Amino acid sequence: MKELLPPQTQEYQARAREVAERYARPVAAELDRTGEYPWSVIKALKEADLMGIWIPREYGGHGAGVLDMCVVVEQLSRACGGIGVAYAVNALGSFPIVLGGSEEQKRRWLPAVASGKKLIAFGLSEKASGSDAGSLRARAVRDGDGWVINGDKKWNTNGGAASIYTVYASTSPDRGTRGVSAFVVEKGTPGFEIGKREDTMGIRCVPVHELHFRDCRVGGDALLGGKEGGGFGNAMMTLDRARPGVAAQALGLAQGAFEWAVRYTSERQQFGQSVLSFQATQFALADMAIQIEAARQLVYTAARAIDAGVPNPSKLAAMSKVMATDTAMRVTTEAVQMFGGYGFCRDYPIEKYMRDAKITQIYEGTNQIQRVVIGRAITKEAGQLAGHLGVTVEHFPEAEKKS
Ligand code: CAA
């Protein structure tokens, strides 16, 4: 319900919806077929002053929150999941600089991202290091006043389209996660190559690439925050803030698929009546609507908690991602079912929602990893709970009586 959102957020939502309906929806199917980047929509987002809204005002942004970013991603994804992530990845790529960059680095890179003049991407995963992000093999070695980076990155969303890349490499391999450092590397730097493009199931208008670094020399000012070893924490804090964005993408996909399902079943006639008039259809749509609204509230709550600066937002961010992305998979699959045979055909818009939804359960940390994050948080809370309840399992009064 938009009335429950702060007025500024409602304004972003309305503007994003306008861009989504006028520019994203009409090109969604064609870009899915061709794999071309949604440059026309990025242009429209720039003109609507929606790019990089989360970037602080002093660096050219609006100083908007994660909630504002989420409502924009949700509206775009309602029309096209690929366009939703093409936008959201700019938050994933720039949060590391917002969170850990020096004043000079923020002034150097953030204004171009805020205006949409340049896109930014995030390079953490590698072929052999996905869920176990801390096992990355890319290395950066000090060379005079700069660094030489060697290694390969995988699953770089917006790869090639982006001009700026936040890249994680180990500067002290013997220190494990504490030896990981973050660098900012610009496209065109000698030794930095955009590699193979993946042939993906969904979000096909967004390029997902390998990145290669071969004796890539960057200046000392490319080391984020000018500090070695803080990269892993920076990546984790970034993901805490970006995961609600993936959740919002999933939410938009679920909402978009739901709307198509309602429209289709209300028009489709079988046995002399609309498919929507069957109670079985209404019950299925009711379950979809309940799940979407429940997911929406969790996504907005996680985003609000981050904006309010609550300490350790990891658990809520992970919960919002699991809830919204699992909902998106269920809802889009059910929507395909409601379209019957037509749902299986590319002539109809619905199968794309299901293909686009799948990746949301996988990237920015699989939903299994989100459960690891949630489980670890619960384990920490268990200690506090024991203190609060004042008993341990061995000393439950009932158990004592029975023994
Ligand atoms: N905030 C701040 N610091 C954190 C943190 C957080 N949320 N989580 C962990 N840390 C810190 C810890 O405090 C610890 O610091 P110290 O060494 O100083 O104590 C350090 O990081 C290591 O922490 P863990 O021991 O918990 O790390 P781990 O190796 O067990 O990994 C994990 C934890 C949650 C599994 C993590 O590896 C993870 O999130 N994996 C998934 C990675 C991921 O999401 N990848 C997606 C990349 S983006 C993408 O998909 C492509 C794209 O372009 C969209």
Side-chain angles (χ1 to χ4, degrees):
M1 216 181 303
K2 79 171 183 349
E3 290 75 13
L4 297 179
L5 294 170
Q8 180 65 50
T9 307
Q10 287 185 40
E11 221 266 295
Y12 284 125
Q13 188 187 49
R15 252 192 289 160
R17 195 180 178 107
E18 165 92 10
V19 172
E21 293 306 325
R22 279 187 64 185
Y23 299 95
R25 199 182 289 280
V27 298
E30 179 63 10
L31 298 188
D32 180 57
R33 259 190 302 276
T34 62
E36 277 169 42
Y37 197 76
W39 288 115
S40 60
V41 187
I42 297 291
K43 182 168 173 276
L45 284 163
K46 269 192 245 177
E47 284 165 7
D49 201 14
L50 284 170
M51 294 298 289
I53 56 171
W54 55 86
I55 288 171
R57 284 183 190 282
E58 52 276 38
Y59 310 112
H62 293 195
V66 171
L67 179 64
D68 299 316
M69 180 268 283
C70 282
V71 298
V72 175
V73 174
E74 181 186 347
Q75 290 306 319
L76 294 174
S77 304
R78 207 173 127 253
C80 174
I83 291 172
V85 71
Y87 175 83
V89 157
N90 290 284
L92 177 68
S94 58
F95 282 154
I97 306 176
V98 173
L99 290 168
S102 66
E103 185 60 26
E104 198 190 325
Q105 288 170 328
K106 290 178 184 176
R107 294 207 178 283
R108 177 167 168 199
W109 286 302
L110 294 179
V113 178
S115 67
K117 202 170 145 208
K118 290 185 178 173
L119 303 184
I120 186 163
F122 180 80
L124 176 66
S125 302
E126 299 178 358
K127 263 186 192 158
S129 144
S131 292
D132 184 7
S135 66
L136 58 79
R137 291 182 189 167
R139 298 283 179 259
V141 177
R142 200 180 274 282
D143 178 38
D145 57 357
W147 294 88
V148 175
I149 306 174
N150 273 291
D152 305 288
K153 293 288 164 187
K154 189 92 182 159
W155 315 122
N156 192 261
T157 312
N158 259 359
S163 307
I164 309 170
Y165 295 77
T166 315
V167 176
Y168 295 85
S170 183
T171 46
S172 302
D174 49 326
R175 299 194 67 220
T177 53
R178 290 184 180 178
V180 175
S181 301
F183 294 86
V184 180
V185 186
E186 292 184 25
K187 189 159 98 171
T189 305
F192 171 31
E193 297 292 331
I194 310 290
K196 175 192 155 205
R197 178 174 176 164
E198 307 296 343
D199 189 7
T200 57
M201 172 199 281
I203 60 160
R204 290 187 61 82
C205 67
V206 190
V208 179
H209 277 269
E210 291 180 356
L211 307 179
H212 305 299
F213 298 88
R214 299 285 176 265
D215 293 328
C216 174
R217 195 175 192 288
V218 291
D221 52 0
L223 175 67
L224 204 62
K227 279 197 301 273
E228 278 181 63
F232 194 75
N234 174 271
M236 293 299 113
M237 288 194 295
T238 293
L239 287 164
D240 284 345
R241 279 145 191 85
R243 282 172 180 157
V246 176
Q249 184 200 358
L251 188 58
L253 283 163
Q255 181 67 40
F258 174 79
E259 288 166 8
W260 276 116
V262 173
R263 181 169 156 208
Y264 180 81
T265 55
S266 65
E267 285 177 16
R268 173 81 171 161
Q269 299 282 316
Q270 288 293 282
F271 304 102
Q273 60 189 97
S274 77
V275 172
L276 178 60
S277 66
F278 291 103
Q279 198 178 43
T281 308
Q282 292 172 19
F283 275 20
L285 286 167
D287 282 341
M288 289 154 83
I290 294 165
Q291 290 163 16
I292 293 169
E293 201 49 47
R296 178 172 289 117
Q297 295 317 317
L298 189 48
V299 176
Y300 289 3
T301 298
R304 278 197 159 113
I306 294 165
D307 293 341
V310 301
N312 311 320
S314 318
K315 181 181 159 197
L316 260 180
M319 284 164 62
S320 75
K321 182 182 183 284
V322 171
M323 175 77 178
T325 63
D326 285 354
T327 294
M329 207 58 235
R330 268 197 306 273
V331 167
T332 56
T333 306
E334 187 68 31
V336 167
Q337 187 71 18
M338 287 183 179
F339 271 65
Y342 298 106
F344 200 59
C345 297
R346 296 205 169 182
D347 299 343
Y348 284 74
I350 202 67
E351 57 83 35
K352 175 179 180 296
Y353 282 84
M354 187 174 147
R355 285 188 286 110
D356 285 353
K358 185 61 211 172
I359 189 61
T360 65
Q361 294 179 304
I362 298 172
Y363 62 17
E364 291 193 35
T366 62
N367 282 4
Q368 286 71 23
I369 284 297
Q370 307 308 318
R371 287 176 172 94
V372 168
V373 171
I374 299 163
R376 285 183 183 182
I378 292 170
T379 309
K380 269 194 201 150
E381 289 160 11
Q384 295 157 13
L385 206 56
H388 164 68
L389 293 175
V391 288
T392 62
V393 173
E394 294 80 47
H395 296 104
F396 264 102
E398 290 307 310
E400 297 251 303
K401 265 186 237 157
K402 280 184 196 148
S403 61

